[in-house]
Amino acid sequence: MKKYEYISPRDYIGDILIKEAEKNNKIVVIDSDLASSVTTHKFQKKFPERFFEMGIAEQNSLGVTAGLATEGFVPFYVNFAIFGTGTVWTQLRQSCYANLNIKIIGTHSGMDNGSDGASHHALEDIALTRVLPNLKVFNPLDLEDLKGAIKRAVEIKGPIYIRVARDVVPVIHEKEIDFNEGNSEMLFNEGNDYLLIFEGTAAKQAIEGFELLKEKGYKNKLLNIRSIKPVDKKVVLKEAEGMKGILTIENHTINGGLGGLISEIVGESVVRIPLRRIGVQDKFTESGKTEVVKEKYGLSGKSIVEIIETF
């Protein structure tokens, strides 16, 4: 199996925001007592006058974020994904209704919060955010993908949600990329067996599954959906043509997430192809070591091989 360098994109959020803030004095950061966990403490140290600690009061924090946007700032509210989308959903919906220029970065997505408590697992954040009009949803893969997503979020005037892995992911990109909303990325194209489609926080397991299948002689495609909303419908349907089936892979419940999104795209098209989904199967997860929890709930390279072999 090919060897990759692995990193946690979460570790670089503060550094990226500092770089963007050095170019744009309107960028500010709002925190809910998790700055060291989401690495925005680096931003606080560099720009203390542009950092707002709101304490454990998430709804109020997003209200302040919305207020700063109306005053012409470019506010980034950075929190665990479950708090930055679920706890604040009403305030987020109202901000999207007003099409405010707010940016939310959600870390510890899916089961990435591992042993810190199952109540902190964010299995529903894609579902909660992709239903909101005006809100764009980005799901970058590695560090360069994340840099591109944050840079693009600053350029866009409107609400953005960026979903970031806390667990390690493979380093795929060596140089800064041109991140654009609505664009996907074909990582590998080996042939016309199965189309594997994944979102960034499941990159490690998706690539492991792809490599294991390759060793068994399968000739598959591996497609990275880096922009959940808008999504690259044309490429999904184009790449699905002539394949034996589609397998979606996500660090999220299968309900309303990436698998649901791809099902909608295929179901509304003339393409007729079987589809299976890897993700948490409509249940709450348990607390434990991240890799162990993910494997228990079906997110692993081994599970990908098992499903493809019984497709």
Side-chain angles (χ1 to χ4, degrees):
M1 186 183 297
K2 182 177 178 180
K3 292 186 177 179
Y4 294 91
E5 178 187 356
Y6 290 88
I7 63 155
S8 168
R10 178 284 306 261
D11 294 345
Y12 300 88
I13 291 171
D15 300 312
I16 300 170
L17 289 173
I18 288 171
K19 184 177 178 181
E20 292 299 323
E22 287 172 340
K23 297 180 289 185
N24 184 336
N25 63 12
K26 293 296 185 183
I27 291 176
V28 296
V29 170
I30 298 89
D31 179 58
S32 292
D33 201 30
L34 284 171
S36 60
S37 296
V38 300
T39 73
T40 53
H41 63 296
K42 302 175 186 176
F43 187 97
Q44 180 184 25
K45 185 176 181 181
K46 177 74 175 180
F47 297 113
E49 75 284 4
R50 293 160 68 177
F51 181 88
F52 299 92
E53 175 54 66
M54 305 307 299
I56 306 174
E58 289 84 2
Q59 294 98 337
N60 184 49
S61 299
L62 195 60
V64 170
T65 304
L68 287 164
T70 63
E71 293 297 322
F73 291 96
V74 183
F76 278 81
Y77 179 46
V78 189
N79 203 335
F80 289 4
I82 189 65
F83 305 135
T85 60
T87 307
V88 304
W89 198 81
T90 298
Q91 289 75 24
L92 176 59
R93 182 176 183 273
Q94 294 305 104
S95 297
C96 291
Y97 178 80
N99 201 24
L100 296 179
N101 191 29
I102 65 169
K103 321 298 175 186
I104 298 174
I105 296 179
T107 68
H108 300 66
S109 313
M111 294 170 274
D112 278 15
N113 215 355
S115 58
D116 289 346
S119 63
H120 287 25
H121 293 185
L123 303 170
E124 309 88 3
D125 58 318
I126 294 177
L128 287 170
T129 52
R130 80 179 186 90
V131 296
L132 290 173
N134 294 329
L135 183 65
K136 292 179 173 58
V137 181
F138 298 161
N139 208 147
L141 191 168
D142 58 10
L143 176 57
E144 295 301 329
D145 226 10
L146 177 60
K147 287 180 182 175
I150 291 177
K151 181 180 179 182
R152 185 62 186 138
V154 174
E155 294 170 347
I156 294 171
K157 191 171 183 179
I160 310 281
Y161 173 53
I162 304 175
R163 191 173 198 253
V164 179
R166 181 227 190 179
D167 198 5
V168 295
V169 294
V171 176
I172 300 297
H173 306 97
E174 301 293 339
K175 299 178 181 177
E176 188 169 328
I177 64 168
D178 190 15
F179 191 107
N180 285 300
E181 62 274 28
N183 283 0
S184 59
E185 176 184 35
M186 182 60 73
L187 285 189
F188 304 111
N189 186 346
E190 302 284 349
N192 291 331
D193 282 337
Y194 294 93
L195 174 60
L196 310 183
I197 302 177
F198 72 99
E199 52 81 21
T201 72
K204 180 174 184 288
Q205 295 77 19
I207 291 174
E208 285 178 357
F210 178 86
E211 296 283 355
L212 289 171
L213 288 165
K214 184 177 178 179
E215 290 176 0
K216 287 176 172 286
Y218 285 89
K219 299 184 183 302
N220 299 324
K221 297 178 182 177
L222 186 62
L223 183 65
N224 171 26
I225 299 295
R226 55 159 56 112
S227 174
I228 297 285
K229 185 183 180 185
V231 68
D232 200 345
K233 293 182 181 179
K234 287 184 179 179
V235 165
V236 170
L237 294 175
K238 175 176 173 289
E239 299 298 342
E241 288 279 4
M243 304 297 284
K244 296 176 182 176
I246 295 175
L247 177 64
T248 61
I249 305 152
E250 60 190 309
N251 182 21
H252 187 272
T253 173
I254 59 168
N255 297 324
L258 176 68
L261 172 61
I262 301 301
S263 299
E264 292 168 12
I265 294 171
V266 173
E268 291 177 343
S269 76
V270 298
V271 174
R272 293 293 172 260
I273 183 170
L275 183 149
R276 303 279 293 276
R277 295 175 289 169
I278 279 187
V280 177
Q281 302 291 312
D282 196 24
K283 59 179 68 174
F284 291 110
T285 47
E286 299 171 51
S287 184
K289 189 176 179 181
T290 303
E291 187 172 350
V292 175
V293 173
K294 285 182 173 177
E295 184 161 2
K296 177 171 182 175
Y297 290 95
L299 182 58
S300 68
K302 181 182 174 184
S303 296
I304 291 168
V305 173
E306 289 173 353
I307 289 184
I308 290 296
E309 288 188 324
T310 58
F311 216 97

